[in-house]
Amino acid sequence: MTHPAHTPASLPATRSKTTLPAAGTAGRSRRARVEPMAVRPLRDGRYAVETEGGTYVVDLDANACTCPDHQLRRARCKHLRRVALEVTARLVPPPGKRTAVCAVCGGRTFVPTTVEGPALCSRHAVRPGEVVADRETGDRLLVVAEAGARADRVATDEGRLVADYPSNADYGAHEPVVRAVYVDSLRRDGEVRTYAFPASRLRRLRDATPADAADVGPSSTDAGPSATTA
Ligand SMILES: [Zn+2]
Ligand SMILES: [Zn+2]
């Protein structure tokens, strides 16, 4: 069994000024591409645009910019256009999202600014309602809660940190915890318990190759290793 690297890369706090390829357009549209600008997302969902002539603040949702061209002429200025271009090209996050590093693969991703704690890219995120496989046991699980805090910060009912269970040793302690119930337990009478797992211990089934699918055996009735709230 192989596991992806667990060390997330750091992100630069600021970007140097760049240009985009000109697309045969004229006027503000061309200047939006070819003039050196650095676009930096702000915490409030707006963007600081640093240019040779000064730094302006663009509000995409309000279609507004603090530059004279927009303030005096109500123009769709080069700064507004540049921010829209960079959002479309996924160079900067759209309003309401922030850039984050996936805790499983280290890839860059955008997550809602309201999401705190470790992030997961779209390839490694699992959503409530999704059926996944436990890489350790092959059991099928139904995800019941979005990824939460780090595995080395979340304690189970037993008072142990999720990351401290030996069966979780191969998965990143910095990964967000995902809560899930065993599909088998839903078919039986009695208590259905929720268990907590480091995100990469749960394998998404829709990405499974035929070879991978073969190692998912019939569900066992064993209790999981990291019991938490029911
Ligand atoms: Zn402007
Ligand atoms: Zn990832």
Side-chain angles (χ1 to χ4, degrees), residues 25-126:
T25 49
R28 289 184 181 96
S29 182
R30 179 176 175 81
R31 290 199 299 278
R33 289 178 167 275
V34 303
E35 289 186 11
M37 293 185 220
V39 176
R40 184 163 39 90
L42 303 175
R43 286 180 189 279
D44 62 4
R46 297 183 301 166
Y47 301 82
V49 181
E50 191 189 331
T51 71
E52 304 296 346
T55 298
Y56 303 103
V57 176
V58 164
D59 185 336
L60 271 191
D61 291 336
N63 213 22
C65 179
T66 54
C67 76
D69 193 29
H70 180 81
Q71 294 296 317
L72 301 177
R73 287 181 284 276
R74 291 288 136 190
R76 185 163 164 76
C77 63
K78 61 188 179 186
H79 315 106
L80 262 168
R81 291 163 190 259
R82 177 61 172 261
V83 172
L85 286 167
E86 295 211 4
V87 167
T88 302
R90 293 183 64 80
L91 296 171
V92 293
K97 296 212 172 178
R98 64 178 174 88
T99 303
V101 168
C102 174
V104 174
C105 69
R108 204 171 65 104
T109 187
F110 298 142
V111 297
T113 49
T114 50
V115 171
E116 293 172 7
L120 295 170
C121 71
S122 57
R123 202 156 63 87
H124 293 114
V126 290

Side-chain angles (χ1 to χ4, degrees), residues 141-159:
L141 292 125
L142 176 68
V143 176
V144 296
E146 264 336 320
R150 295 167 54 117
D152 58 2
R153 306 265 167 84
V154 174
T156 68
D157 280 354
E158 296 170 334

Side-chain angles (χ1 to χ4, degrees), residues 162-221:
V162 173
D164 287 348
Y165 286 80
S167 55
N168 290 334
D170 285 345
Y171 309 95
H174 67 279
E175 290 177 17
V177 160
V178 172
R179 294 179 192 277
V181 297
Y182 285 89
V183 169
D184 241 28
S185 72
L186 300 172
R187 300 194 184 106
R188 295 190 305 265
D189 290 336
E191 188 189 15
V192 174
R193 299 186 71 192
T194 303
Y195 295 87
F197 301 86
S200 71
R201 180 169 161 176
L202 302 177
R203 186 166 56 78
R204 302 177 74 173
L205 297 178
R206 68 169 176 224
D207 291 335
T209 63
D212 281 336
D215 67 26
V216 180
S219 295
S220 80
T221 54

